[in-house]
Tab-separated table of all heavy atoms in Angstrom:
chain	number	residue	atom	x	y	z
A	9	LYS	N	1.082	143.183	-23.559
A	9	LYS	CA	1.626	144.262	-24.390
A	9	LYS	C	1.205	145.634	-23.878
A	9	LYS	O	1.103	146.587	-24.632
A	9	LYS	CB	1.184	144.078	-25.833
A	9	LYS	CG	1.735	142.803	-26.424
A	9	LYS	CD	1.324	142.655	-27.859
A	9	LYS	CE	1.896	141.360	-28.407
A	9	LYS	NZ	1.546	141.173	-29.802
A	10	ARG	N	0.905	145.733	-22.598
A	10	ARG	CA	0.538	146.978	-21.923
A	10	ARG	C	-0.741	147.585	-22.474
A	10	ARG	O	-0.888	148.789	-22.544
A	10	ARG	CB	1.689	147.977	-21.959
A	10	ARG	CG	2.926	147.480	-21.226
A	10	ARG	CD	4.031	148.499	-21.210
A	10	ARG	NE	3.614	149.818	-20.783
A	10	ARG	CZ	3.618	150.250	-19.518
A	10	ARG	NH1	4.001	149.452	-18.569
A	10	ARG	NH2	3.245	151.479	-19.216
A	11	GLY	N	-1.676	146.744	-22.853
A	11	GLY	CA	-2.973	147.203	-23.316
A	11	GLY	C	-3.942	147.278	-22.151
A	11	GLY	O	-3.815	146.544	-21.172
A	12	LEU	N	-4.900	148.160	-22.247
A	12	LEU	CA	-5.899	148.344	-21.208
A	12	LEU	C	-7.275	148.255	-21.842
A	12	LEU	O	-7.543	148.897	-22.850
A	12	LEU	CB	-5.720	149.720	-20.558
A	12	LEU	CG	-6.691	150.101	-19.461
A	12	LEU	CD1	-6.402	149.288	-18.214
A	12	LEU	CD2	-6.562	151.578	-19.154
A	13	LEU	N	-8.148	147.429	-21.270
A	13	LEU	CA	-9.498	147.237	-21.765
A	13	LEU	C	-10.461	147.437	-20.605
A	13	LEU	O	-10.318	146.797	-19.567
A	13	LEU	CB	-9.656	145.826	-22.346
A	13	LEU	CG	-11.040	145.406	-22.819
A	13	LEU	CD1	-11.473	146.242	-24.019
A	13	LEU	CD2	-11.049	143.938	-23.168
A	14	VAL	N	-11.430	148.340	-20.774
A	14	VAL	CA	-12.412	148.621	-19.735
A	14	VAL	C	-13.791	148.250	-20.275
A	14	VAL	O	-14.170	148.687	-21.359
A	14	VAL	CB	-12.385	150.110	-19.317
A	14	VAL	CG1	-13.413	150.384	-18.235
A	14	VAL	CG2	-11.003	150.525	-18.857
A	15	LEU	N	-14.530	147.449	-19.503
A	15	LEU	CA	-15.876	147.011	-19.865
A	15	LEU	C	-16.800	147.294	-18.691
A	15	LEU	O	-16.352	147.388	-17.553
A	15	LEU	CB	-15.904	145.510	-20.140
A	15	LEU	CG	-14.997	144.977	-21.229
A	15	LEU	CD1	-14.945	143.462	-21.166
A	15	LEU	CD2	-15.508	145.422	-22.575
A	16	SER	N	-18.088	147.374	-18.966
A	16	SER	CA	-19.026	147.454	-17.859
A	16	SER	C	-19.080	146.084	-17.193
A	16	SER	O	-18.813	145.059	-17.822
A	16	SER	CB	-20.406	147.897	-18.334
A	16	SER	OG	-20.900	146.996	-19.283
A	17	THR	N	-19.405	146.041	-15.926
A	17	THR	CA	-19.380	144.800	-15.153
A	17	THR	C	-20.282	143.749	-15.782
A	17	THR	O	-21.421	144.015	-16.124
A	17	THR	CB	-19.827	145.063	-13.712
A	17	THR	OG1	-18.963	146.049	-13.154
A	17	THR	CG2	-19.762	143.805	-12.867
A	18	GLY	N	-19.732	142.551	-15.955
A	18	GLY	CA	-20.497	141.440	-16.495
A	18	GLY	C	-20.480	141.319	-18.000
A	18	GLY	O	-21.002	140.361	-18.551
A	19	SER	N	-19.875	142.273	-18.705
A	19	SER	CA	-19.818	142.215	-20.167
A	19	SER	C	-18.714	141.273	-20.616
A	19	SER	O	-17.707	141.100	-19.943
A	19	SER	CB	-19.542	143.602	-20.744
A	19	SER	OG	-20.576	144.471	-20.437
A	20	ALA	N	-18.900	140.675	-21.784
A	20	ALA	CA	-17.888	139.794	-22.360
A	20	ALA	C	-16.884	140.618	-23.165
A	20	ALA	O	-17.191	141.694	-23.659
A	20	ALA	CB	-18.552	138.772	-23.263
A	21	VAL	N	-15.682	140.080	-23.300
A	21	VAL	CA	-14.644	140.736	-24.099
A	21	VAL	C	-15.099	140.727	-25.553
A	21	VAL	O	-15.535	139.689	-26.067
A	21	VAL	CB	-13.302	140.001	-23.942
A	21	VAL	CG1	-12.238	140.604	-24.841
A	21	VAL	CG2	-12.844	140.037	-22.496
A	22	PRO	N	-15.030	141.869	-26.257
A	22	PRO	CA	-15.459	141.922	-27.658
A	22	PRO	C	-14.689	140.917	-28.522
A	22	PRO	O	-13.513	140.649	-28.282
A	22	PRO	CB	-15.131	143.355	-28.077
A	22	PRO	CG	-15.045	144.127	-26.817
A	22	PRO	CD	-14.589	143.171	-25.768
A	23	ALA	N	-15.361	140.354	-29.516
A	23	ALA	CA	-14.768	139.328	-30.377
A	23	ALA	C	-13.501	139.820	-31.069
A	23	ALA	O	-12.571	139.054	-31.279
A	23	ALA	CB	-15.785	138.868	-31.409
A	24	LEU	N	-13.459	141.087	-31.396
A	24	LEU	CA	-12.293	141.654	-32.068
A	24	LEU	C	-11.035	141.548	-31.209
A	24	LEU	O	-9.937	141.368	-31.712
A	24	LEU	CB	-12.561	143.123	-32.414
A	24	LEU	CG	-11.479	143.886	-33.151
A	24	LEU	CD1	-11.224	143.249	-34.518
A	24	LEU	CD2	-11.888	145.330	-33.331
A	25	TYR	N	-11.193	141.626	-29.898
A	25	TYR	CA	-10.054	141.610	-28.989
A	25	TYR	C	-9.937	140.317	-28.198
A	25	TYR	O	-9.082	140.201	-27.327
A	25	TYR	CB	-10.154	142.790	-28.016
A	25	TYR	CG	-10.196	144.110	-28.735
A	25	TYR	CD1	-11.364	144.848	-28.814
A	25	TYR	CD2	-9.067	144.604	-29.364
A	25	TYR	CE1	-11.409	146.050	-29.484
A	25	TYR	CE2	-9.101	145.800	-30.046
A	25	TYR	CZ	-10.274	146.515	-30.098
A	25	TYR	OH	-10.313	147.707	-30.774
A	26	SER	N	-10.756	139.324	-28.488
A	26	SER	CA	-10.741	138.091	-27.713
A	26	SER	C	-9.511	137.231	-27.985
A	26	SER	O	-9.189	136.350	-27.202
A	26	SER	CB	-12.007	137.278	-27.973
A	26	SER	OG	-12.059	136.889	-29.321
A	27	ALA	N	-8.811	137.460	-29.086
A	27	ALA	CA	-7.612	136.689	-29.406
A	27	ALA	C	-6.453	137.044	-28.474
A	27	ALA	O	-5.561	136.232	-28.262
A	27	ALA	CB	-7.198	136.933	-30.856
A	28	HIS	N	-6.468	138.244	-27.908
A	28	HIS	CA	-5.413	138.658	-26.984
A	28	HIS	C	-5.630	137.982	-25.631
A	28	HIS	O	-6.742	137.638	-25.272
A	28	HIS	CB	-5.419	140.173	-26.789
A	28	HIS	CG	-5.229	140.927	-28.061
A	28	HIS	ND1	-4.017	141.044	-28.690
A	28	HIS	CD2	-6.113	141.597	-28.831
A	28	HIS	CE1	-4.157	141.759	-29.784
A	28	HIS	NE2	-5.426	142.106	-29.905
A	29	THR	N	-4.563	137.803	-24.889
A	29	THR	CA	-4.693	137.212	-23.562
A	29	THR	C	-4.896	138.330	-22.552
A	29	THR	O	-3.970	139.045	-22.193
A	29	THR	CB	-3.443	136.396	-23.196
A	29	THR	OG1	-2.292	137.226	-23.340
A	29	THR	CG2	-3.306	135.186	-24.094
A	30	TRP	N	-6.116	138.499	-22.123
A	30	TRP	CA	-6.468	139.554	-21.175
A	30	TRP	C	-6.508	138.985	-19.774
A	30	TRP	O	-7.016	137.900	-19.535
A	30	TRP	CB	-7.832	140.145	-21.512
A	30	TRP	CG	-7.836	140.857	-22.818
A	30	TRP	CD1	-8.323	140.396	-23.991
A	30	TRP	CD2	-7.324	142.158	-23.091
A	30	TRP	NE1	-8.150	141.328	-24.982
A	30	TRP	CE2	-7.537	142.420	-24.459
A	30	TRP	CE3	-6.701	143.132	-22.317
A	30	TRP	CZ2	-7.150	143.614	-25.056
A	30	TRP	CZ3	-6.314	144.309	-22.920
A	30	TRP	CH2	-6.540	144.537	-24.271
A	31	ARG	N	-5.976	139.751	-18.833
A	31	ARG	CA	-6.031	139.381	-17.428
A	31	ARG	C	-6.881	140.396	-16.697
A	31	ARG	O	-6.647	141.607	-16.803
A	31	ARG	CB	-4.633	139.363	-16.827
A	31	ARG	CG	-3.792	138.271	-17.408
A	31	ARG	CD	-2.505	138.139	-16.638
A	31	ARG	NE	-1.717	137.075	-17.229
A	31	ARG	CZ	-0.443	137.176	-17.496
A	31	ARG	NH1	0.208	138.279	-17.204
A	31	ARG	NH2	0.198	136.177	-18.032
A	32	LYS	N	-7.835	139.907	-15.959
A	32	LYS	CA	-8.741	140.791	-15.230
A	32	LYS	C	-8.051	141.321	-13.978
A	32	LYS	O	-7.418	140.577	-13.236
A	32	LYS	CB	-10.018	140.039	-14.853
A	32	LYS	CG	-11.072	140.905	-14.244
A	32	LYS	CD	-12.331	140.098	-14.033
A	32	LYS	CE	-13.404	140.940	-13.424
A	32	LYS	NZ	-14.627	140.173	-13.218
A	33	SER	N	-8.186	142.622	-13.757
A	33	SER	CA	-7.648	143.238	-12.558
A	33	SER	C	-8.474	142.793	-11.363
A	33	SER	O	-9.697	142.683	-11.440
A	33	SER	CB	-7.703	144.760	-12.695
A	33	SER	OG	-7.290	145.364	-11.495
A	34	ARG	N	-7.847	142.530	-10.264
A	34	ARG	CA	-8.555	142.046	-9.086
A	34	ARG	C	-9.265	143.151	-8.328
A	34	ARG	O	-10.174	142.894	-7.556
A	34	ARG	CB	-7.581	141.351	-8.151
A	34	ARG	CG	-7.037	140.080	-8.760
A	34	ARG	CD	-6.131	139.381	-7.805
A	34	ARG	NE	-5.572	138.201	-8.464
A	34	ARG	CZ	-4.583	137.516	-7.991
A	34	ARG	NH1	-4.026	137.861	-6.862
A	34	ARG	NH2	-4.141	136.474	-8.643
A	35	LYS	N	-8.831	144.370	-8.527
A	35	LYS	CA	-9.427	145.492	-7.812
A	35	LYS	C	-10.759	145.886	-8.427
A	35	LYS	O	-10.937	145.813	-9.635
A	35	LYS	CB	-8.494	146.697	-7.836
A	35	LYS	CG	-7.218	146.479	-7.080
A	35	LYS	CD	-6.370	147.724	-7.118
A	35	LYS	CE	-5.075	147.501	-6.376
A	35	LYS	NZ	-4.235	148.695	-6.392
A	36	ARG	N	-11.680	146.306	-7.611
A	36	ARG	CA	-12.960	146.822	-8.098
A	36	ARG	C	-12.777	148.265	-8.516
A	36	ARG	O	-12.133	149.045	-7.821
A	36	ARG	CB	-14.002	146.786	-7.002
A	36	ARG	CG	-14.617	145.462	-6.787
A	36	ARG	CD	-15.619	145.597	-5.701
A	36	ARG	NE	-16.882	145.059	-6.160
A	36	ARG	CZ	-17.929	144.958	-5.405
A	36	ARG	NH1	-17.888	145.376	-4.169
A	36	ARG	NH2	-19.032	144.449	-5.879
A	37	VAL	N	-13.336	148.595	-9.640
A	37	VAL	CA	-13.251	149.960	-10.143
A	37	VAL	C	-14.651	150.554	-10.084
A	37	VAL	O	-15.565	150.097	-10.761
A	37	VAL	CB	-12.694	149.989	-11.582
A	37	VAL	CG1	-12.649	151.403	-12.101
A	37	VAL	CG2	-11.321	149.355	-11.627
A	38	LEU	N	-14.812	151.569	-9.250
A	38	LEU	CA	-16.111	152.198	-9.083
A	38	LEU	C	-16.258	153.429	-9.953
A	38	LEU	O	-17.341	153.721	-10.445
A	38	LEU	CB	-16.336	152.571	-7.616
A	38	LEU	CG	-16.300	151.406	-6.629
A	38	LEU	CD1	-16.397	151.931	-5.207
A	38	LEU	CD2	-17.415	150.432	-6.917
A	39	LYS	N	-15.161	154.156	-10.150
A	39	LYS	CA	-15.198	155.395	-10.916
A	39	LYS	C	-14.137	155.379	-12.000
A	39	LYS	O	-13.034	154.886	-11.775
A	39	LYS	CB	-14.906	156.590	-10.006
A	39	LYS	CG	-16.082	157.186	-9.327
A	39	LYS	CD	-15.630	158.376	-8.519
A	39	LYS	CE	-16.486	159.542	-8.869
A	39	LYS	NZ	-16.170	160.702	-8.043
A	40	VAL	N	-14.495	155.907	-13.138
A	40	VAL	CA	-13.540	156.098	-14.227
A	40	VAL	C	-13.712	157.513	-14.758
A	40	VAL	O	-14.663	158.205	-14.400
A	40	VAL	CB	-13.741	155.064	-15.370
A	40	VAL	CG1	-13.405	153.668	-14.901
A	40	VAL	CG2	-15.135	155.112	-15.917
A	41	SER	N	-12.825	157.939	-15.624
A	41	SER	CA	-12.911	159.286	-16.178
A	41	SER	C	-14.139	159.407	-17.081
A	41	SER	O	-14.707	158.409	-17.538
A	41	SER	CB	-11.651	159.622	-16.967
A	41	SER	OG	-11.599	158.855	-18.143
A	42	ASN	N	-14.527	160.622	-17.362
A	42	ASN	CA	-15.680	160.868	-18.235
A	42	ASN	C	-15.434	160.333	-19.644
A	42	ASN	O	-16.358	159.859	-20.300
A	42	ASN	CB	-16.010	162.353	-18.283
A	42	ASN	CG	-16.591	162.838	-16.977
A	42	ASN	OD1	-17.161	162.047	-16.223
A	42	ASN	ND2	-16.425	164.114	-16.687
Side-chain angles (χ1 to χ4, degrees):
K9 296 182 180 181
R10 298 183 50 90
L12 179 71
L13 175 66
V14 180
L15 302 168
S16 59
T17 302
S19 297
V21 176
L24 181 62
Y25 301 107
S26 63
H28 301 285
T29 54
W30 294 102
R31 293 189 180 134
K32 187 175 180 180
S33 175
R34 293 183 183 168
K35 294 182 181 180
R36 280 181 128 176
V37 178
L38 300 174
K39 272 182 129 175
V40 293
S41 69
N42 289 335

